[in-house]
Amino acid sequence: MLLPKARGELSQALFDSLRSEPGDTGTLAQVRPTDRDDVQIALWAMYELHYAGFEDVDDELEWHAGGLGLRRSLERDFESELRARQPATTLAEPFAEALFAFIAEHDGPSIAAYVQRKADREQVLELLRHRSIYHLKESDPTAWVVPRLPTAPKAALMELQYDEYGGGDPNRLHAHLFALGLEASGLRADPYAYIDDVPVEILELNNAMSLFGLHRRLRAASLGHLAAFETTSSLPSRRVAQGLSRLDFPPEMIAYYEEHVEADAVHEQLAVRTICGALVEAEPQLIDDVVFGAFTCLDLEDRYAQRMLDGWAS
Ligand SMILES: [Fe+2]
Ligand SMILES: [Fe+2]
């Protein structure tokens, strides 16, 4: 994979520097970002250096001090923005019921309901292209958190991740199931084939997961995000599967969503009770960050859903 297209002055300067040896990032601090798209694609590319990287960027640059300095300044602003969006919240007791209630009470626009009943084939293809950015590396951002956890939540997270990664069978790995679905639907299944087409909301969704996953300080936010993600997946996955059937999508794509109807009904219990529950029992001071992560997941999904539904309605 090559670097994505720049979306403004900052990402242009960053990508130019990443392509050049040895990655001259010294002047980047002076470049003002053009807009949110510019910031988020720059951040997304910086994060990607920690995943599979880019063919046109030297692997050494993953830990280049200048690049990391820029990443730090972008993600500091991003984290502040995300925190500023969250209304003040105090979870009641007991923790698991309160977290389930917090997630359930969040009311946002539903793309899944639209896909189930109204979306046409082109709209669903657009959605799948957007979702491919995350689903082709499904669960990877959360994997960073494993070594940062105490015993009980670590064991529970590994139980969930083991399932996401196919339980030892590459053909059951969720990211691979999504790739098979894309191919069968006539779409490209190579990672980030559609990165240049995705709206800024998709970049934000992905960047928040990497931000939470890559900072030990934010481990609780990562797991709170996971809890909200899993808890809001089972029923929507059923709706999307029904929409895909209605539009005669191939069985491979439907199978990906059907897999998540049952799997995520189990994962939500694991994520809320056994993972986040065990974490806050061991480290009660992390409750607020669990809620921050959960809220951010719901809020960023709402923003994406609203953008798509508004675009399709006009
Ligand atoms: Fe999954
Ligand atoms: Fe899951």
Side-chain angles (χ1 to χ4, degrees), residues 138-139 160 163-164 174 226 229-230 233 260 263-264 267-268:
E138 192 167 313
S139 301
L160 190 153
D163 212 16
E164 300 286 351
H174 287 187
L226 174 73
F229 190 95
E230 298 290 346
S233 170
H260 284 80
D264 288 345
H267 291 174
E268 67 180 42

Side-chain angles (χ1 to χ4, degrees), residues 57 72 116 120 231 256 261:
V57 178
R72 203 56 211 110
Q116 182 187 26
D120 64 29
T231 304
Y256 170 86
V261 175

